[in-house]
Amino acid sequence: MATVCSNCVMDTTDSMIVFDENGVCDHCNNFYEHTLPNWHTDERGQKELDALVAKIKVEGEGKDFDCIIGMSGGIDSSYLTYIAKEKLGLRPLVFHVDAGWNSQEAVNNIEKLVDKLELDLYTEVIDWEEMKDLQLAFFKSGVSHVDTPQDHAFFATMYKFAEQYNVKYILTGANLSTECVRNPIEWMYYQSDSVQLKDIHSQFGTKPLHNFPVTSILRHKLYLPYIKGIKVVRPLNSVAYVKEDAIQLLIERFGWQPYPQKHFESRFTKFYEGYWLPEKFGFDTRKVQFSSLIVTGQMTRDEALEKLSQPPYDKRTIAHDFEYVATKLGISVDELQEYMDAPNKSYKDYKSQQSIYNVGAKIMKMLGLEVGGKR
Amino acid sequence: MLRSRVIPCLLVKNNGLVKTVQFDQPKYVGDPINAVKIFNEKEADELVVLDIDATVQGRDPDYDLIKNLAAECRMPLCYGGGVKSVEHFKKIISLGVEKVAISSAAVHEPELIARAAEIVGGQSVIVVLDVKKKRFGSKYEVYTHNGTQASGLIAADFVKKCESLGAGEIVVNSIDHDGTMCGYDHKLIEQVRSAVSIPVTVLGGAASLTDMKNLVDRFEPIGMAAGSLFVFKGKYRAVLISYPNQTERDEVVIRKRI
Amino acid sequence: MISIVDYGLGNILAFSNIYKKLNIPASVISTDQELQHAEKIILPGVGSFDWAMTRLNDSGMRDTLDHLVLEKKVPILGVCVGMQMMAKRSDEGSMDGLGWIDAEVKRMDTSGEKQGLCLPHMGWNDVSPVKGSHLFSRLEDDARFYFLHSYYFAHKSEDQILAQTNYGGEFTSSAHLENVYGVQFHPEKSHHWGVQLLKNFAELS
C-alpha cells in the first residue's frame, strides 16, 4: 500500500519521494519554495514576455516566419499556437513531427489551427521502419521509458531544422501550469540522453539509424543556445494558463477535438502512459499531472483521488489498442505480452550520461535558469 | 440519393507511403497503417491503396500489409499492385478487401478481367488506367509500369473493352496532372465517362473541394480520388492527413438542383 | 452469440472485428457441427448469385441452415448477395435461391429514361426504413450505407419491405419476414451507421 502525499497525490511509487513532518512531499515543497516564487504570470510575466516577443520580431524581420512552434495537436502546443499568433502577434511556422502514431484528433487539431490562424505548416516525417525498429528495441530492453524514440525524435528534428534554417527561437508548449510536478526519472528517464538511446539500439535494434534524427543533451543545452544562439522558450509560463479554460476556448473557436488524457494525441503515448507504465511498472503518470493541477489550484485532491480510483486505460478498448500497437510494430500480440511480462529494467542497466544531467541540473538551478520540478 | 464518392488514394513504395509528382520524385509520407486508421476515423467514403513497386519489381502483393490495412477499414477498400491472376484476386478478397485493382495486367491480359469477374463478381474487379495525353490530337494513351511504358491503347476505347469483359469500375489516373494540384482533367473525364456505363473514378490534380464540386456538377455520379489534397498542406507541402467531414462532403457530393 | 457463416464469400473479418470491438460475442462458423447451436446468424455475401449458392450448397451447412431458419426460427441477417440468396431465384443466375422469402432478384433497370444509370450501384445512398423497425433503431434520419450491386430484391408483397432506397426509382434495400432479415447494403463497411445496425441485430429479441 503506497503512502500518499497529504497535499497532492504523488506517492511512494516514486521510490525517491521524501515526505516532511506534515506528510507533504518534496514535489510540493519544491513547487512552493522554488518554482512559485520564480514563476511570474502577472505584470512581471507580461514584461518578460513583451521583451521576448520584441526580440523574436526583430530577429524575424524580412523572413517568412520569426519562430517555430513545436506542435503535436495536444492542448499545450495548440493553445500556444493560438496565443503566439493572436495575442503576441508573432509569425510562427507551425512545426510538426510525424512519428507514425498520430491520432485523428491530433491531425484534426493541427489542421484547424493552421487553417483558422492562417499559418504555414512544416512537417517532418520520421522514417517509420527505423522508428519501428528503435521502439521495438526499447521494448526488448525492458526499461520503462519506451517512449524515448518519439520524444527524442521530436526535439532532435526541431533543433536540426532550426539550425539548418537559422531560426533563433523555438517555442514549445512546455509549461508549469500543468507540468510543474514532473515525472521522476525512474519513471521517465531523460529522453535526450543519446548515449542510452544508442546503447539500447546497439543491443536490441536490427536496423542502422540512417535517417533517424539523433541529438544530445550537450548539443541542445550548450551548443545550440550558446554557440548558435538558438533558444527554446516557453511562453505559456508567462501567461495565466488554466487548462480547462484553454480547452473550452479551442473547442469553441477552432473546432479543436479533446482526447481522454494529456499526451494521448499520440496513439503510442496513450498506450505507454495508459497501460505500459502503470501495468508493468506501477507508474501512473496521472498522479504527476493531477498533482501539478492540485498545487496550481486547478483540481482538488479529492477530485484527483476519485479519478485515480479508475484504471488509467479504457477496459473496453485496451485489448484492441494492445493489438494495434503489436500490429504496428510488426509483432504478434503474444510477443508484445512477453515484453510486458519480462523482468523490469531501468535506465541504470544501460549506458547513460546521467552524471552530466546531474551536474547540469545543479548549475542551472544555481543560476536560476531552471525553475521546474524535481526529477 | 446516391452520392458521388470522395476517395483518398494512397501509394505504397518500400512499405511506406509516398506521393509523386507526374509519377516522379516520390516524397516519403509515412506509415500506411496509421494513415489508413486516421482516414477510417474520419469516416472516409472509400479508400484506394496502390503498391506502385510490385509490378515493376515483379513481385506478388504484400498480403501481410493488405491484411493489416483491411483490419483498420470500416469502409470499402480497393487494393492494387502486383495483381496478375485470379488466385491473387481471391486471396486479397479473403483478407477483407472489397475491390481489387489491376493495371498492367488488364493491358497485357484483358481476359483476366472476365475470369476474375466470374469468380469474385464484376463489382470487385477494378481497372486502373494511368494515362497521358498524346502529343498530337485530343486523345489519351494508356501507360503501364509506373508511367514508363506506352501501351499503344487509347483510353476511351480500352475502357469499353474493360466494361464488356465485366469490370465493375474504371479508375482513370492522369499522369500529367498527378501531384500538380492544378485541377482535374475534364477533357479526359468527358471522354472516358461517355464511353462506359459502369462507375468511373478519376484521379490526378485535385486541389480543393471546389474541384470536386465542379466535377459533380458536370458528371454526377462520379468517384473523385485524390492523393496530394488529403496528404499535403500549404506552401511547404507539409505532410498532414486531412479529409472533409460529413457536412463539408454533403455540400459537394450531390448536385444541387434549383 | 452471433454466428457468422463462413462459406468462402463475404468480408467475414469485418463482421467479426466489429462485434469484437462492441464486446458482443461472435464466432466464425464454417462447419455444420458448429452451426447447430447458433442463436443468431449473419450470412454475408459478395460476388455472383450462382457462385454464392454453389458455395453455400457445397459447404455442408445448407440443410442445418434451412432447419434453423425455417423451423427453429433463428434470427438471420443476410448481407448483399446473402440477402439476394434468400429469394427464390435471380436474373443473374440459373440456380434456385434459398426461397426463405417469396421474392425474386432482378437486374436494375437501365432501359428507356433510365439509360444513363451506372451499374453497379456503387457508393453511399440513403436508406429509409419503415417506422418502428428495430433493426434501424437509433439511426439518425440521414443514415446512409454503402451499396455495391447491380441486382435488387424484387419483393412480392409490401409487408416484406423493411427499408427502401432510391436509385433510378425506389427499391427494397432491406427486407424482412418473421425471423429473416436482409440488407442489400454493406453494414460491415458503413462506418458508425453499419455498426449501429449490427448492434441492433445482436440486440433483437
Side-chain angles (χ1 to χ4, degrees), chain B residues 66-179:
Chain B
I66 294 171
K67 182 165 186 206
N68 289 334
L69 295 181
E72 295 304 325
C73 281
R74 208 143 287 162
M75 66 277 187
L77 174 63
C78 172
Y79 176 84
V83 178
K84 288 191 284 290
S85 68
V86 177
E87 283 312 307
H88 285 157
F89 272 86
K90 283 163 70 178
K91 177 95 204 249
I92 293 171
I93 291 203
S94 75
L95 293 172
V97 171
E98 279 62 45
K99 304 180 186 182
V100 178
I102 47 174
S103 191
S104 307
V107 166
H108 296 123
E109 204 202 328
E111 306 72 37
L112 175 60
I113 298 172
R115 291 204 313 274
E118 201 182 351
I119 303 299
V120 302
Q123 80 293 323
S124 294
V125 178
I126 315 303
V127 177
V128 175
L129 298 178
D130 301 328
V131 305
K132 229 188 263 197
K133 187 145 186 307
K134 283 178 84 73
R135 197 179 307 179
F136 302 109
S138 61
K139 296 196 196 290
Y140 294 81
E141 186 175 359
V142 177
Y143 278 69
T144 61
H145 294 79
N146 273 340
T148 55
Q149 291 183 19
S151 69
L153 298 169
I154 298 301
D157 299 331
F158 188 61
V159 295
K160 287 194 176 106
K161 183 166 183 179
C162 295
E163 178 179 20
S164 68
L165 287 165
E169 184 183 3
I170 302 286
V171 175
V172 63
N173 187 3
S174 163
I175 298 173
D176 302 311
H177 284 228
D178 170 53

Side-chain angles (χ1 to χ4, degrees), chain C residues 33-96:
Chain C
Q33 199 164 17
E34 290 168 317
L35 188 58
Q36 306 277 351
H37 307 288
E39 296 161 344
K40 259 191 195 128
I41 304 171
I42 299 221
L43 186 67
V46 154
S48 66
F49 188 86
D50 278 1
W51 181 243
M53 280 309 305
T54 305
R55 302 260 353 200
L56 186 61
N57 289 340
D58 291 347
S59 70
M61 292 188 277
R62 171 72 199 265
D63 289 341
T64 304
L65 209 54
D66 278 334
H67 167 70
L68 288 173
V69 171
L70 296 172
E71 283 152 45
K72 284 189 77 183
K73 302 291 183 189
V74 171
I76 182 164
L77 176 69
V79 175
C80 196
V81 164
M83 169 185 179
Q84 293 178 355
M85 280 165 31
M86 294 172 166
K88 288 186 132 66
R89 55 160 299 280
S90 170
D91 278 353
E92 193 186 5
S94 54
M95 293 190 65
D96 287 339

Side-chain angles (χ1 to χ4, degrees), chain B residues 1-3 5 39-40 43-46 67 70-71 73-77 90 93-99 117-121 123-124 126 168-169 193 197-200 221 246 250, chain C residues 9-11 13-14 17-18 21 46-48 51 55 92 115-126 142 144 146-149 165-167 186-193 195:
Chain B
M1 173 80 220
L2 181 69
R3 292 162 178 72
R5 296 161 293 135
F39 280 118
N40 181 59
E43 299 206 316
D45 287 344
E46 214 174 297
K67 182 165 186 206
C73 281
R74 208 143 287 162
M75 66 277 187
L77 174 63
K90 283 163 70 178
I93 291 203
S94 75
L95 293 172
V97 171
E98 279 62 45
K99 304 180 186 182
E118 201 182 351
I119 303 299
V120 302
Q123 80 293 323
S124 294
I126 315 303
E169 184 183 3
R193 189 78 164 72
S197 59
I198 54 177
V200 171
Q246 208 60 61
D250 283 347
Chain C
L9 290 181
N11 200 331
L13 284 174
N17 277 340
I18 288 177
K21 256 203 126 172
V46 154
S48 66
W51 181 243
R55 302 260 353 200
E92 193 186 5
Q115 214 172 23
L117 206 66
C118 273
L119 285 187
H121 174 209
M122 179 187 287
W124 293 82
N125 206 340
D126 302 308
D142 66 344
R144 74 279 301 263
Y146 194 90
F147 287 84
L148 186 57
H149 63 113
T165 292
N166 190 329
Y167 190 61
H186 288 272
E188 77 283 17
K189 290 285 157 154
S190 294
H191 288 304
H192 72 272
W193 297 279
V195 171

Side-chain angles (χ1 to χ4, degrees), chain B residues 201-222:
Chain B
T201 293
V202 298
L203 174 63
S208 66
L209 286 184
T210 308
D211 284 345
M212 294 189 170
K213 192 160 183 356
N214 291 338
L215 228 54
V216 171
D217 286 347
R218 217 175 137 186
F219 298 111
E220 149 180 274
I222 184 132

Side-chain angles (χ1 to χ4, degrees), chain C residues 188-204:
Chain C
E188 77 283 17
K189 290 285 157 154
S190 294
H191 288 304
H192 72 272
W193 297 279
V195 171
Q196 183 63 56
L197 187 134
L198 289 172
K199 185 164 188 269
N200 291 344
F201 179 68
E203 290 171 0
L204 282 178

